[in-house]
Amino acid sequence: AKYRDCTDLYALSDTLNCARQSLCVPCGYKIGTFDVSLDKEFTSLVPNERPENCPRFLSGDRSRKGGREGIMGFRRGMNVLTVGDGDLSFSLAISRAIMPKDGDPLRNGQLVSTSYESHDVLTRVYPNIGDTMRELKSLGANICCEVDATRLAETLSAKIARKTQKFHRIVWNFPCSAVPSGQDGQNDAMETNKHLIRAFMRSALQFLEDGGEIHMAHKTKPPFNQWKMEEVALEGLGLLNRRRMKFKGRGFGQVLHTTIHTSKSP
């Protein structure tokens, strides 16, 4: 049998424990199966199952037990910039993790949540985004619309940029150029998406704190895995790929990923 090298793969502890201790098939797939085409032997022997078959789901234990250090590398006191965050639910989850609850001003984190879309488009596409925005603002987060991830220096509010200056984490989940048909990420748009990632990395670097990290999450099935996103992102930048982690939206609470197709979306 062939085994995948998981040396630099990180996963949520509750997902790992569920796979190892309960022999949970859905959690095992989340951690070890990156590409069905590369794991034919395993997937033929052990077919995947619906997430609802996870023992934790069946028992009603759907909570993520976050420690005092925060969630998946996001900790209290950090400055975090999110780009292209859809309904802002990911930003809200991060804001809840990094904003201090004890009122200690020395531990204040700062979250800047940005969208490429206008405020009008966001409120039209996401009916409940008003509640999310109000909670983000109540936690002290800043929300900026019409921010281009590939041109942060030009489109990010000058006031925000001066106030925060540098970020410990810069995050773009599921970067992809949109097409009218809705079939984003296909092979005929591969070079366009590679260019998108390169431009984002160069744009983000000038806002990254020394020792900070740029996080990107994406699908690992074809054609997305054929982008070789990690290699493309690091091209000519002299940066280190610190880790790979399975993205699990449930670990952050209720996180929704939806592609917006408007005349403005790239």
Side-chain angles (χ1 to χ4, degrees):
K2 297 181 180 180
Y3 296 92
R4 301 295 298 275
D5 181 6
C6 296
T7 304
D8 295 321
L9 176 67
Y10 290 70
L12 291 172
S13 58
D14 52 356
T15 305
L16 179 61
N17 291 335
C18 191
R20 295 178 62 184
Q21 298 172 10
S22 302
L23 300 181
C24 174
V25 173
C27 289
Y29 264 76
K30 285 185 175 70
I31 295 171
T33 306
F34 314 137
D35 184 346
V36 173
S37 65
L38 297 177
D39 296 313
K40 292 182 179 179
E41 183 176 359
F42 173 75
T43 54
S44 63
L45 293 173
V46 185
N48 198 1
E49 298 179 6
R50 296 288 303 170
E52 295 87 337
N53 291 336
C54 170
R56 289 176 294 140
F57 187 95
L58 294 173
S59 67
D61 180 15
R62 306 178 191 180
S63 62
R64 169 74 180 122
K65 300 177 178 61
R68 61 183 178 86
E69 291 302 311
I71 302 175
M72 291 180 69
F74 298 91
R75 299 186 297 276
R76 298 235 183 118
M78 281 186 169
N79 292 335
V80 178
L81 171 66
T82 63
V83 301
D85 186 25
D87 70 337
L88 308 182
S89 57
F90 180 81
S91 295
L92 180 57
I94 296 302
S95 186
R96 289 168 174 168
I98 69 173
M99 296 301 186
K101 298 180 180 179
D102 53 15
D104 184 354
L106 297 179
R107 299 182 62 206
N108 276 346
Q110 174 68 269
L111 182 128
V112 178
S113 176
T114 73
S115 172
Y116 187 73
E117 307 298 339
S118 68
H119 184 275
D120 289 343
V121 169
L122 291 177
T123 53
R124 185 174 72 249
V125 174
Y126 303 109
N128 299 321
I129 199 170
D131 294 336
T132 303
M133 287 181 170
R134 280 187 286 274
E135 183 172 353
L136 278 168
K137 291 178 180 178
S138 72
L139 290 169
N142 291 283
I143 303 170
C144 301
C145 297
E146 299 184 82
V147 174
D148 186 339
T150 67
R151 298 169 51 243
L152 289 173
E154 301 168 52
T155 59
L156 187 62
S157 166
K159 180 180 178 180
I160 297 298
R162 286 196 302 270
K163 181 179 179 180
T164 307
Q165 296 183 344
K166 298 287 185 178
F167 297 91
H168 300 96
R169 300 287 186 269
I170 299 177
V171 191
W172 192 2
N173 292 325
F174 309 106
C176 193
S177 60
V179 293
S181 65
Q183 295 297 316
D184 56 348
Q186 300 307 303
N187 287 334
D188 57 356
M190 185 180 299
E191 292 305 317
T192 300
N193 284 304
K194 286 183 178 181
H195 174 73
L196 184 71
I197 291 170
R198 294 187 191 103
F200 162 64
M201 290 294 294
R202 285 167 173 76
S203 174
L205 274 179
Q206 57 192 307
F207 290 97
L208 189 65
E209 185 72 65
D210 290 342
E213 297 177 359
I214 297 175
H215 292 189
M216 284 188 285
H218 224 302
K219 302 173 184 177
T220 54
K221 65 180 182 180
F224 301 96
N225 64 333
Q226 296 165 0
W227 298 7
K228 298 183 178 179
M229 188 166 72
E230 293 165 343
E231 295 179 18
V232 171
L234 299 176
E235 282 179 2
L237 298 180
L239 299 177
L240 174 67
N241 180 20
R242 287 187 174 178
R243 65 180 66 89
R244 176 188 290 180
M245 178 179 286
K246 278 291 183 179
F247 180 88
K248 189 176 180 183
R250 198 173 70 185
F252 293 94
Q254 294 193 4
V255 175
L256 174 67
H257 170 63
T258 301
T259 301
I260 298 179
H261 299 288
T262 71
S263 59
K264 184 176 182 298
S265 296

